[in-house]
């Protein structure tokens, strides 16, 4: 397949490109800078210069492809607190990509996050792929748009990624931000009793899931990129403390924003999720090390911010 990938040089994209090429697919990667273009080319993909704001370009590339994987996201807006702006930019890009695929039966894989299950109202149990919410929430509108493309003749699916997509490729994700906060403040922290749980997935396992979604996910499906169902946040903090020889302590909810920055609210989410349906539906079998192993074994040792 000729596969058009946005976010091709990013954390997840840098694993998805080799995974696709190893399976025999021809990859065209979107790159908005010289550095990104060089990274995409080094990974063996064809470079297409542009960015998410160039909607006509997105539509043309989607029409020329046999499938699309949408990984790009305006993280600069998210980290600055403009969640609405980031979500609007994502939805605009998805509409453009869909415009090039209408009625084709070709796959379009969008990206969401398991944290939206909590904002959607899932509490007290593990979220599943069958949890769906009405429009009107961060990431929810984009997810529903992608799933709804099945009615327009697109084999669409959404990968809900765990908040911790971890590996030595991870330089700007949530774990580096948590590590940076610990080093800046002189201690690793969790909020309250730290019993709230975060799911996790290794970057390379996530890349396999995107390939499987491209190749076989049914139209309108939602998939969970979560190899580990839920790790207590206090265990994550303890692993950071061990890895960087820092004390570990509990902080109050009122202190969370000062310690974690924009992640203060996310650090308090209880977000256990199941990926049982995903494993059965597309044959996904994650085999890479878990999050605590990645932290304890020093794979984040070079992280600085």
């Amino acid at each position: 397949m000729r596969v058009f990938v946005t976010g091709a040089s990013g954390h997840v994209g840098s694993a998805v490109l080799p995974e696709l090429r190893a399976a025999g697919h021809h990859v065209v990667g979107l790159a908005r800078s010289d550095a990104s273009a060089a990274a995409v080319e080094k990974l063996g993909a064809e470079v297409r210069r542009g960015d998410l704001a160039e909607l006509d370009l997105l539509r043309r590339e989607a029409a020329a492809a046999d499938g699309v994987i949408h990984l790009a996201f305006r993280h600069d807006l998210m980290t600055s607190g403009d969640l609405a702006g980031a979500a609007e930019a994502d939805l605009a890009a998805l509409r453009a990509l869909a415009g090039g695929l209408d009625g084709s039966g070709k796959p379009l894989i969008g990206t969401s996050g398991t944290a939206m299950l909590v904002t959607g109202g899932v509490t007290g149990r593990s979220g599943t792929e069958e949890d769906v919410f009405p429009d009107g929430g961060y990431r929810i509108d984009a997810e529903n748009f992608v799933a709804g493309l099945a009615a327009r003749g697109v084999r669409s699916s959404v990968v809900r990624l765990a908040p911790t997509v971890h590996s030595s490729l991870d330089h700007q994700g949530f774990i580096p931000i948590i590590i940076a906060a610990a080093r800046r403040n002189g201690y690793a922290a969790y909020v309250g009793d730290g019993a709230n749980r975060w799911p996790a997935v290794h970057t390379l396992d996530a890349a396999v899931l995107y390939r499987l979604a491209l190749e076989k996910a049914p139209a309108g499906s939602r998939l969970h990129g979560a190899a580990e169902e839920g790790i207590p946040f206090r265990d994550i903090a303890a692993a950071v403390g061990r890895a960087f020889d820092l004390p570990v302590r509990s902080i109050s909810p009122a202190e969370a924003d000062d310690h974690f920055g924009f992640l203060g609210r996310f650090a308090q989410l209880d977000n256990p999720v199941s990926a049982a349906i995903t494993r059965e539906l597309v044959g996904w079998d994650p085999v890479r090390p878990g999050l605590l192993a990645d932290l304890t074994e020093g794979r984040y040792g070079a992280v600085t911010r």
Side-chain angles (χ1 to χ4, degrees):
M1 298 172 68
R2 177 185 175 91
V3 187
F4 179 54
V5 180
T6 70
S9 65
H11 167 203
V12 178
S14 63
V16 168
L17 264 59
E19 176 68 25
L20 293 175
R21 293 193 66 251
H25 301 298
H26 178 84
V27 184
V28 181
L30 185 68
R32 64 176 181 174
S33 68
D34 290 343
S36 294
V40 170
E41 187 174 25
K42 186 175 181 179
L43 291 167
E46 181 181 340
V47 175
R48 186 67 67 244
R49 291 298 298 265
D51 62 37
L52 288 186
E54 297 180 60
L55 302 183
D56 287 341
L57 170 65
L58 298 182
R59 191 176 297 107
R60 289 196 305 271
E61 290 300 324
D66 299 310
V68 174
I69 295 178
H70 178 52
L71 295 168
F73 193 72
R74 289 292 304 276
H75 292 286
D76 59 323
L77 295 176
M78 182 179 74
T79 55
S80 69
D82 187 7
L83 298 182
E88 288 170 8
D90 188 50
L91 188 53
L94 283 166
R95 286 174 174 147
L97 293 167
L101 296 173
D102 275 333
S104 67
K106 297 175 181 178
L108 168 63
I109 296 85
T111 300
S112 184
T114 64
M116 54 83 67
L117 295 169
V118 181
T119 58
V122 175
T123 59
R125 63 171 175 84
S126 292
T128 78
E129 296 88 340
E130 294 177 339
D131 286 312
V132 179
F133 312 100
D135 288 343
Y138 176 65
R139 289 279 207 176
I140 293 174
D141 292 355
E143 178 177 298
N144 289 346
F145 174 78
V146 173
L149 291 174
R152 290 167 49 177
V154 180
R155 186 165 61 81
S156 60
S157 60
V158 177
V159 174
R160 292 171 173 167
L161 287 174
T164 46
V165 182
H166 60 89
S167 71
S168 59
L169 297 170
D170 180 16
H171 301 294
Q172 295 181 312
F174 284 1
I175 292 300
I177 293 171
I178 291 169
I179 291 170
R183 299 175 79 172
R184 182 175 62 250
N185 290 287
Y187 61 92
Y190 55 88
V191 181
D193 65 4
N196 60 298
R197 295 153 292 179
W198 273 22
V201 64
H202 194 282
T203 309
L204 299 182
D205 283 326
V208 172
L209 179 56
Y210 276 97
R211 176 181 59 78
L212 291 172
L214 178 81
E215 294 173 347
K216 62 174 67 174
S221 57
R222 291 169 168 86
L223 307 172
H224 278 181
E228 296 178 277
E229 187 164 329
I231 306 166
F233 199 91
R234 62 172 175 261
D235 291 350
I236 298 173
V240 170
R242 287 193 299 271
F244 294 91
D245 195 24
L246 293 169
V248 181
R249 68 176 66 164
S250 170
I251 60 176
S252 70
E255 298 173 293
D257 287 347
D258 284 341
H259 183 89
F260 292 109
F262 86 97
L263 272 187
R265 179 170 62 89
F266 289 96
Q268 301 175 63
L269 291 183
D270 187 37
N271 183 216
V273 298
S274 167
I277 293 173
T278 296
R279 291 172 183 251
E280 179 68 24
L281 194 62
V282 298
W284 186 50
D285 182 24
V287 296
R288 302 289 178 168
L291 172 60
L292 299 184
D294 259 359
L295 283 166
T296 303
E297 294 170 16
R299 293 186 179 90
Y300 281 87
V303 172
T304 57
R305 287 179 73 89

